[in-house]
Amino acid sequence: MVAFIGLLLPLLVGSVWAEESEESEETTELRSQWGKEYGDYNFAGELYNHVGSTMADDQDFVVSPLGVSQALGLLLFAVGPKSAAEIDAVLYPKKANASGLAPRNFLQTGELTYATVAALRPDIYIDPIFLKDAADLDSYVYKTHFAQRDVQPFSNFLNLKSRGKIDVGLQELLGDYNPANRLLFFNVLDFTAEFRYGFQIENRLLVARRTLAWHGYIPELRTRVLGLGLKGSSALLLILLPIRKANIEMVESRLRTVDVRKIRSRLNITLMNISLPKVESSKLLNLKEPLREAGIITVFNKTTADLSAFKTELPLDDVIVYTKMNIFSQGINGRSSNTTNSDQISQLEVDSLLAFVQEEKPVQFEALRPFIYAVLDSRHVFLIGRHFPNL
């Protein structure tokens, strides 16, 4: 409550400024500031663009930078110096702590479920040191013949290791899981949270009136940004909505030089009317080509592969990641978005301070055209993707 009181004054000024800023032009001064103060080549932005380059221009997708960094972090312990240098350059461009790679305790609170697996044929040697390193990273080694009959046991393995929290129907998703493979690295990550203040459903849209949210204009991205607090979590859901004089392609290219984790500090708590589409997206991504484009080449090359942990000259077949994003009236993932009236919750608890704030005119935010979203905290980008509303 004390923090809320302290934000009342910025709210009164910020709400007026935010409405005027959507169509603001990017001045020479702002552009200079972008290059010096905000320029930050970062893993999440680079990964988003490399994955997006393999998609149709109007195709939804979602990927977990944290999940990919987990898979690449495990791969680091399996390769020789040349591949290790390439992976390190992608995870930590310009020596920045861009991936948030760490073995455990990603959230103080909230629900994050993940599994990283090195899947390989039974006849391939495994260095015992690699087995120990994998265990230290909460990762697993799984032996398989890569036949379709092995998919269900692999799915069961993931379900067991996640204590029943990971069940993604791999039979339909793993089309490349076949006997031609010898070595795959795989990651699945699930982030689940409830909104601090929920939404009503009106005309198939998620609607919240006179609710508090983070909001601001980021000129170097040419976007308005909405930040939705998540219950029991230090993370936010950010919606990056291009201004009407920009487009999503322009924003995407600029994500390479703007670390989305730093955006929150530039937003203000604002009284708002919000309209969002429901988002239902899940992607199993084969990252071999995006990672090659990013600069990880040696380990995928038949003549240069240096998988020293397995004493093999065979290349890595692929890095596969599975991620989902379901934005519905009560939160992110977790439950079906087919929400009934009984599921709708009040947007805000009424108290005397809120009654004062509600006399102000709310800022309108309607994400009814293509936008980018991210779930993040100050250290990690858990999910990032894009959505093309079909209204």
Side-chain angles (χ1 to χ4, degrees), residues 195-200 207-209 211 231 329-330 341-350:
F195 290 130
R196 190 167 298 162
Y197 310 126
F199 289 80
Q200 304 286 336
V207 176
R209 295 187 180 86
T211 191
K231 190 183 299 183
S329 63
Q330 294 189 43
N341 290 335
S342 63
D343 294 319
Q344 297 171 0
I345 62 176
S346 61
Q347 299 160 19
L348 217 50
E349 296 179 0
V350 178

Side-chain angles (χ1 to χ4, degrees), residues 172-203:
E172 299 178 3
L173 295 170
L174 278 176
D176 289 338
Y177 200 76
N178 60 64
N181 290 320
R182 292 182 62 85
L183 180 62
L184 292 173
F185 276 62
F186 181 86
N187 177 273
V188 56
L189 183 143
D190 179 61
F191 182 97
T192 300
E194 293 182 23
F195 290 130
R196 190 167 298 162
Y197 310 126
F199 289 80
Q200 304 286 336
I201 298 179
E202 298 180 9
N203 298 322

Side-chain angles (χ1 to χ4, degrees), residues 124-385:
I124 293 181
Y125 169 85
I126 306 174
D127 190 325
I129 295 176
F130 176 77
L131 290 173
K132 181 181 181 301
D133 292 333
D136 289 343
L137 289 171
D138 283 348
S139 300
Y140 311 105
V141 176
Y142 183 76
K143 292 193 173 184
T144 173
H145 290 282
F146 293 103
Q148 284 298 317
R149 66 177 183 274
D150 290 342
V151 175
Q152 184 58 52
F154 183 42
S155 186
N156 294 341
F157 174 82
L158 291 173
N159 189 268
L160 175 66
K161 294 300 184 181
S162 64
R163 298 180 181 179
K165 294 181 179 179
I166 293 177
D167 186 7
V168 296
L170 292 176
Q171 293 89 333
E172 299 178 3
L173 295 170
L174 278 176
D176 289 338
Y177 200 76
N178 60 64
N181 290 320
R182 292 182 62 85
L183 180 62
L184 292 173
F185 276 62
F186 181 86
N187 177 273
V188 56
L189 183 143
D190 179 61
F191 182 97
T192 300
E194 293 182 23
F195 290 130
R196 190 167 298 162
Y197 310 126
F199 289 80
Q200 304 286 336
I201 298 179
E202 298 180 9
N203 298 322
R204 297 183 300 170
L205 293 176
L206 307 180
V207 176
R209 295 187 180 86
R210 309 195 72 83
T211 191
L212 292 177
W214 297 88
H215 181 258
Y217 172 64
I218 308 299
E220 64 272 26
L221 279 178
R222 305 207 72 183
T223 63
R224 292 176 66 193
V225 178
L226 171 72
L228 297 173
L230 302 173
K231 190 183 299 183
S233 173
S234 57
L236 282 181
L237 167 62
L238 294 187
I239 305 292
L240 282 65
L241 184 66
I243 64 171
R244 295 190 181 277
K245 294 182 180 179
N247 56 48
I248 195 168
E249 292 81 8
M250 180 185 299
V251 178
E252 288 175 331
S253 65
R254 294 181 176 208
L255 277 176
R256 295 179 182 272
T257 54
V258 177
D259 189 337
V260 290
R261 296 172 302 175
K262 297 179 180 179
I263 289 178
R264 178 175 183 163
S265 64
R266 299 169 62 188
L267 307 179
N268 296 310
I269 291 288
T270 307
L271 185 68
M272 305 191 72
N273 290 338
I274 302 169
S275 295
L276 301 176
K278 290 187 289 184
V279 175
E280 294 182 81
S281 180
S282 62
K283 283 292 179 185
L284 189 141
L285 298 171
N286 297 74
L287 294 182
K288 180 178 179 178
E289 291 310 313
L291 292 177
R292 285 171 61 92
E293 184 180 308
I296 300 176
I297 299 171
T298 301
V299 73
F300 294 114
N301 192 305
K302 292 181 180 180
T303 60
T304 62
D306 52 356
L307 286 157
S308 55
F310 309 114
K311 293 186 177 179
T312 179
E313 296 179 355
L314 294 170
L316 179 65
D317 290 305
D318 216 329
V319 175
I320 299 176
V321 295
Y322 176 81
T323 318
K324 67 178 181 179
M325 183 58 161
N326 176 11
I327 303 175
F328 64 111
S329 63
Q330 294 189 43
I332 298 170
N333 298 324
R335 286 192 288 171
S336 170
S337 64
N338 296 323
T339 310
T340 63
N341 290 335
S342 63
D343 294 319
Q344 297 171 0
I345 62 176
S346 61
Q347 299 160 19
L348 217 50
E349 296 179 0
V350 178
D351 59 30
S352 57
L353 281 173
L354 186 57
F356 167 74
V357 174
Q358 284 186 334
E359 293 180 5
E360 299 300 313
K361 181 181 177 182
V363 172
Q364 306 294 318
F365 190 97
E366 295 184 342
L368 307 182
R369 58 184 188 273
F371 61 83
I372 297 167
Y373 56 81
V375 179
L376 50 81
D377 61 17
S378 60
R379 293 183 59 202
H380 311 109
V381 182
F382 302 101
L383 305 168
I384 189 168

